[in-house]
Amino acid sequence: MTTFHTVAIDGLDIFYREAGSRDNPTILLLHGFPTSSHMFRNLMSALSDRFHLVAPDYPGFGNSSMPTVNEFDYTFDRLAEIVEKFIAAIDLKQYSLYVMDYGAPIGYRIAAKYPERVEALIVQNGNAYEEGLREFWNPIKAYWQERSPENADQLRPFFTLETTKWQYTNGVRSLEAISPDNWNIDQHFLDRPGNVDIQLALFYSYGSNPPLYPQWQEYFRKYQPPTLIVWGQNDYIFPAEGAYPYKNDLQTLEFHLLDTGHFALEEEGEAIADHIRRFMTTHVKERTRL
């Protein structure tokens, strides 16, 4: 059974889903844009018999608090700080990180800071290399260079229902396999007053991530976390070019390109769950029961 909780972090209500026994290895699931812990709903059910799974919503996303841009510093540094405090608040000592999209720069900040806590990495379309930032990113890179109203206006179409639906359907094999609940739920949260300003702030802050790529790559090389790549190869946002460089830095790497798009769990959820089950059984030790 998945249960639903809220914990207070720095005066904010941080919502999270939890499934499975704490006696089992923990997987901390970090979601992408523009979604929330909702993206992990099926995966948590599939793996809860063998693992302890925790999936928070970041501030401004899903069911967590949504302070305005004047009340909260919407940067990836700050989101990582909130997740770090969340980890402490719910008393996670060791965990594997499942990172996707925005979850990668949040998770890698934490992993590089606390490498001894991270038992393994599971990477679904989560970028840590310049090779993974291609054509999709050009208007966002222009915003990094000049945070002008004109450049911001070029990004506003990213927050529409049409684009949210496109994120779920582009590159999939079967449109009939993708539930419209995904984009309808995500769009509900995007359409809240003030949320576009939040997302524009984070689009701008994403420019702080590429300068950290060498630091994260050094973490990979030095600490060699066992890593499972489960990547939707037809993703236009984070294309497969961003998956291959992990092979250069990680020795214990299981690599799977899946014939689907950005939100690979929607079409390849069963395959990803099977890969995680085998990978974790091989590389992450069971908890020692007292």
Side-chain angles (χ1 to χ4, degrees):
M1 177 185 294
T2 298
T3 55
F4 308 93
H5 311 267
T6 301
V7 61
I9 306 291
D10 288 358
L12 303 176
D13 289 334
I14 301 301
F15 171 87
Y16 67 101
R17 301 165 193 254
E18 186 170 21
S21 170
R22 278 182 170 252
D23 290 336
N24 292 328
T26 295
I27 304 176
L28 179 62
L29 305 153
L30 299 180
H31 68 79
F33 164 86
T35 187
S36 64
S37 60
H38 177 263
M39 68 169 282
F40 296 116
R41 66 203 180 282
N42 296 325
L43 185 69
M44 295 179 77
S45 295
L47 295 177
S48 61
D49 60 329
R50 297 279 298 278
F51 304 101
H52 172 231
L53 303 114
V54 179
D57 291 351
Y58 316 135
F61 292 81
N63 295 293
S64 287
S65 293
M66 193 196 80
T68 68
V69 292
N70 296 321
E71 298 168 327
F72 183 82
D73 187 19
Y74 283 97
T75 65
F76 281 87
D77 284 342
R78 187 70 173 110
L79 292 186
E81 182 181 356
I82 292 292
V83 174
E84 180 183 331
K85 291 181 177 182
F86 168 78
I87 291 168
I90 66 167
D91 198 29
L92 299 182
K93 303 300 186 186
Q94 287 190 303
Y95 42 83
S96 297
L97 283 172
Y98 187 122
V99 299
M100 185 269 175
D101 190 277
Y102 277 12
I106 293 170
Y108 291 154
R109 278 171 168 80
I110 295 168
K113 187 175 181 180
Y114 302 104
E116 72 284 353
R117 300 181 183 178
V118 178
E119 297 178 306
L121 299 175
I122 303 163
V123 183
Q124 179 210 323
N125 301 70
N127 198 53
Y129 297 89
E130 289 285 352
E131 292 91 328
L133 299 179
R134 297 194 61 187
E135 294 84 356
F136 174 87
W137 291 87
N138 289 342
I140 303 173
K141 289 179 179 179
Y143 193 51
W144 300 344
Q145 295 299 316
E146 184 181 358
R147 196 176 187 181
S148 66
E150 293 78 13
N151 284 337
D153 286 343
Q154 296 301 309
L155 303 179
R156 293 182 186 276
F158 288 117
F159 313 127
T160 63
L161 177 60
E162 180 182 10
T163 303
T164 302
K165 180 178 179 180
W166 173 86
Q167 289 198 61
Y168 280 97
T169 57
N170 182 257
V172 303
R173 298 189 310 278
S174 172
L175 292 175
E176 291 77 13
I178 313 301
S179 170
D181 292 345
N182 289 296
W183 52 84
N184 288 328
I185 289 171
D186 288 356
Q187 197 63 38
H188 163 77
F189 292 115
L190 277 176
D191 286 344
R192 291 175 293 178
N195 198 267
V196 167
D197 293 332
I198 290 169
Q199 303 307 333
L200 283 171
L202 288 171
F203 270 31
Y204 181 75
S205 179
Y206 203 95
S208 69
N209 296 326
L212 295 177
Y213 287 173
Q215 177 183 331
W216 301 342
Q217 293 158 18
E218 176 60 25
Y219 157 73
F220 299 152
R221 289 191 294 270
K222 181 176 180 180
Y223 293 98
Q224 291 297 321
T227 300
L228 171 66
I229 303 285
V230 280
W231 200 289
Q233 67 179 1
N234 307 326
D235 187 1
Y236 184 70
I237 301 169
F238 289 116
E241 286 87 344
Y244 287 102
Y246 283 95
K247 293 183 175 184
N248 299 329
D249 293 324
L250 291 158
Q251 297 169 8
T252 304
L253 179 72
E254 186 176 317
F255 190 88
H256 302 277
L257 293 182
L258 308 171
D259 184 15
T260 191
H262 184 63
F263 284 107
L265 280 172
E266 295 305 315
E267 194 168 34
E268 291 286 359
E270 290 183 10
I272 290 172
D274 288 343
H275 288 313
I276 292 172
R277 195 174 289 109
R278 288 193 299 268
F279 176 82
M280 293 283 288
T281 300
T282 301
H283 297 288
V284 178
K285 295 180 179 178
E286 295 288 332
R287 296 274 186 261
T288 302
R289 295 178 183 272
L290 297 177

